[in-house]
Amino acid sequence: MAIGKDNNNSVIGPGSIFEGKFYIAGSLRIDGKFEGEIKTDDALFIGETGKVRTNISAREVIVAGTLIGNIKAENEVRLEETGRLLGDIIAPSLALAKGVVAKGNITVTGGQKKDVKKIVEESFGGTRTLDNGKEE
């Protein structure tokens, strides 16, 4: 993932506060506070001082700050060691650093378009019936 301090189309800097809808055709770095809605066709980076409350739709997402909201990524989500997350993640790939604090549901698709539950069940050989007649 090639996003950092020098590779951003837009930045919400430290000490800045932004509320509203942010639709961007490029990368975004947040080091300030943001509440609202974010959609980007590129990468989103929440820096260590970033505090974000939103649902995110992006190609790639890196969280080194605090995020309250869900993430839907096309390629990858990375939670850095200083990252804090309260929300769900749906992505083909997920990387968690030691020290991350997170709570939510995680769906890692591996890039598959098929339902993840069905993929795993088929890999296991489907469901089987227990002795009491209930499916496992």
Side-chain angles (χ1 to χ4, degrees), residues 46-81:
I46 300 172
E48 286 186 35
T49 59
K51 296 182 187 334
V52 177
R53 184 185 306 263
T54 186
N55 292 324
I56 296 169
S57 177
R59 184 172 46 85
E60 300 170 330
V61 180
I62 301 173
V63 179
T66 302
L67 171 63
I68 298 174
N70 301 323
I71 301 171
K72 185 173 183 181
E74 292 177 30
N75 290 346
E76 179 183 23
V77 173
R78 280 197 346 226
L79 301 179
E80 301 292 337
E81 64 185 35

Side-chain angles (χ1 to χ4, degrees), residues 107 109 112-122:
T107 303
T109 65
Q112 300 291 317
K113 300 294 183 197
K114 195 173 181 181
D115 179 60
V116 173
K117 182 179 177 185
K118 287 183 181 179
I119 292 171
V120 175
E121 286 175 345
E122 287 172 1

Side-chain angles (χ1 to χ4, degrees), residues 31-52:
D31 291 312
K33 188 172 183 179
F34 178 91
E35 289 191 50
E37 184 178 337
I38 297 175
K39 287 186 182 178
T40 177
D41 59 0
D42 206 336
L44 173 70
F45 181 76
I46 300 172
E48 286 186 35
T49 59
K51 296 182 187 334
V52 177

